[in-house]
Amino acid sequence: MKIGIIGSGRMVSSIHLPLLSCIDNVKIEFIADRNNPLSLAKMYNTKSIQIDKISNLPKCDIILLAVPMGVKEKYLYELIKRDCHIFAEKPFAVDLASHKKILKLNNKITCNYVRNYYDTTRNIKNIISSKIFGKIKTISIVEGGINGKTGLSKNSYQNNPELSGGFLKDSASHTFSQLDFLFDKIFLQEASVIWENGFDVETQAIFYVNDSFNINYLGTQLKNIEPSTRMVFENYEIKFNHLIPDSVFTISSLNTKKKFVLHHKSFFGSTFAEAYYLKWIDFLKKVSSSSKMDGEIETSITTTRIIDNIMEKSIKK
């Protein structure tokens, strides 16, 4: 299977290329970027392309698209004309309208919301589905930390709000994709967003989930906080770190002072590399079997809808 790669940034060089080069029956056909990725291509014995016109890029079975959010759409429309399969880095689209438009044109596409392949995510899904602790009463999620621009050049796309997403699209989107994986119905009730220099840097939101309970969410780049998810059930609460693939699950009784640590076997990704590998293997199997893909699930259209709704309902500060 021939895979072409558009973009040569950190995710491509440190994650995707090392993994793809180790998968059987995969050939990395080319690496393309605005700046000629000659050294990187040489490392993987493949063709290096400096992009001038998107339409001039070679055809492949699959394209890995890892370019800034602000320019992704024009690449997607060109690739859709070729009827190839597309593996896109997140965030998938700038807004819900664009997301829907792209999926109407091509359903052979996935977005790299990799946390759904974490042991952490799969284990909490099993706990919820088993109902061993009863019904969920409430959930609180906190995440973030101070994330400065140290080391970025003045012309870096990450300093340009038209090209790069803020906290919601760059970070919170992963967490929202996990919620999409865990729950069927997620509705935004309230939201407020703090902005700095054109970027959203803090979001507080309340979601109503499965017609049953609330999720209180805080994501911030304004202070250092310990990331955690706290799920309160009828008689117990479970606390874990949703950001990492192999989180410890601490279970506390609401009626006593007893605490327990859940020990579990690893069946999915217990490291970041394993989770990325499982995501790729899942996608490659779907491509090779020509099985019909559900683009809304593969690209988590719910995640895009959540971010759109937050932007619409939020009170800018």
Side-chain angles (χ1 to χ4, degrees):
M1 203 170 293
K2 296 179 180 179
I3 298 181
I5 299 175
I6 302 175
S8 62
R10 182 180 60 84
M11 289 298 297
V12 167
S13 61
S14 64
I15 301 285
H16 294 296
L17 279 170
L19 286 174
L20 290 172
S21 64
C22 296
I23 297 175
D24 291 339
N25 301 318
V26 163
K27 181 186 177 186
I28 300 169
E29 192 73 3
F30 67 83
I31 305 172
D33 206 326
R34 289 184 308 133
N35 300 313
N36 198 336
L38 191 59
S39 298
L40 188 60
K42 191 174 181 181
M43 285 176 61
Y44 289 92
N45 194 28
T46 190
K47 185 177 181 181
S48 172
I49 298 175
Q50 184 167 5
I51 300 172
D52 51 4
K53 289 179 66 178
I54 302 172
S55 57
N56 289 340
L57 290 169
K59 293 184 178 180
C60 284
D61 301 309
I62 298 171
I63 292 290
L64 164 58
L65 185 60
V67 297
M69 179 194 69
V71 298
K72 185 179 293 180
E73 198 167 310
K74 63 181 181 181
Y75 282 91
L76 283 169
Y77 286 134
E78 174 57 35
L79 295 173
I80 286 167
K81 294 177 190 175
R82 304 174 181 212
D83 198 34
C84 64
H85 288 81
I86 303 168
F87 187 110
E89 268 298 340
K90 60 85 189 167
F92 182 72
V94 293
D95 54 41
L96 187 58
S98 298
H99 198 136
K100 289 179 177 179
K101 186 177 178 181
I102 291 164
L103 291 185
K104 277 186 178 180
L105 297 172
N106 185 354
N107 235 20
K108 300 191 297 187
I109 191 166
T110 195
C111 186
N112 192 25
Y113 288 120
V114 72
R115 288 192 203 162
N116 295 340
Y117 295 84
Y118 282 5
D119 266 335
T120 301
T121 309
R122 298 289 177 143
N123 284 326
I124 196 61
K125 186 175 181 69
N126 288 339
I127 289 170
I128 294 168
S129 301
S130 72
K131 298 182 180 179
I132 191 170
F133 295 109
K135 294 181 179 180
I136 298 173
K137 294 298 184 182
T138 185
I139 297 176
S140 61
I141 300 172
V142 294
E143 62 184 0
I146 296 172
N147 185 19
K149 303 291 185 180
T150 304
L152 296 179
S153 68
K154 185 180 285 189
N155 296 324
S156 170
Y157 79 89
Q158 290 175 279
N159 285 320
N160 185 344
E162 293 183 2
L163 294 178
S164 176
F167 183 81
L168 281 168
K169 289 175 180 174
D170 281 350
S171 297
S173 59
H174 269 306
T175 301
F176 297 155
S177 73
Q178 287 172 289
L179 295 179
D180 180 28
F181 180 74
L182 294 173
F183 304 112
D184 296 325
K185 300 176 184 178
I186 306 169
F187 298 101
L188 179 69
Q189 289 188 316
E190 300 175 23
S192 64
V193 178
I194 297 175
W195 299 78
E196 285 185 359
N197 301 318
F199 291 97
D200 58 284
V201 294
E202 181 172 290
T203 293
Q204 294 187 60
I206 300 174
F207 303 99
Y208 188 54
V209 179
N210 288 2
D211 300 323
S212 179
F213 59 89
N214 284 346
I215 295 178
N216 296 290
Y217 174 83
L218 169 63
T220 182
Q221 290 180 316
L222 298 178
K223 56 188 175 184
N224 286 318
I225 55 176
E226 182 180 351
S228 70
T229 293
R230 178 175 172 264
M231 291 189 177
V232 179
F233 294 82
E234 292 169 346
N235 296 304
Y236 293 90
E237 72 169 38
I238 299 177
K239 193 172 181 181
F240 61 95
N241 183 350
H242 58 281
L243 303 187
I244 60 175
D246 59 345
S247 177
V248 170
F249 288 80
T250 302
I251 303 170
S252 304
S253 169
L254 298 179
N255 303 316
T256 69
K257 294 183 179 180
K258 290 183 178 180
K259 287 190 176 184
F260 310 89
V261 174
L262 179 66
H263 294 280
H264 52 83
K265 292 183 179 180
S266 175
F267 293 104
F268 281 85
S270 61
T271 67
F272 295 106
E274 285 178 351
Y276 279 97
Y277 174 80
L278 291 172
K279 171 66 181 177
W280 264 112
I281 291 298
D282 183 39
F283 184 62
L284 291 169
K285 282 181 179 177
K286 290 172 182 172
V287 173
S288 61
S289 66
S290 300
S291 59
K292 187 177 180 181
M293 295 187 189
D294 187 328
E296 291 195 355
I297 293 175
E298 289 286 337
T299 61
S300 188
I301 197 168
T302 296
T303 295
T304 305
R305 175 176 58 79
I306 287 171
I307 294 172
D308 249 29
N309 289 346
I310 289 174
M311 294 296 191
E312 289 170 5
K313 282 196 174 186
S314 66
I315 304 166
K316 289 192 177 184
K317 294 184 179 179

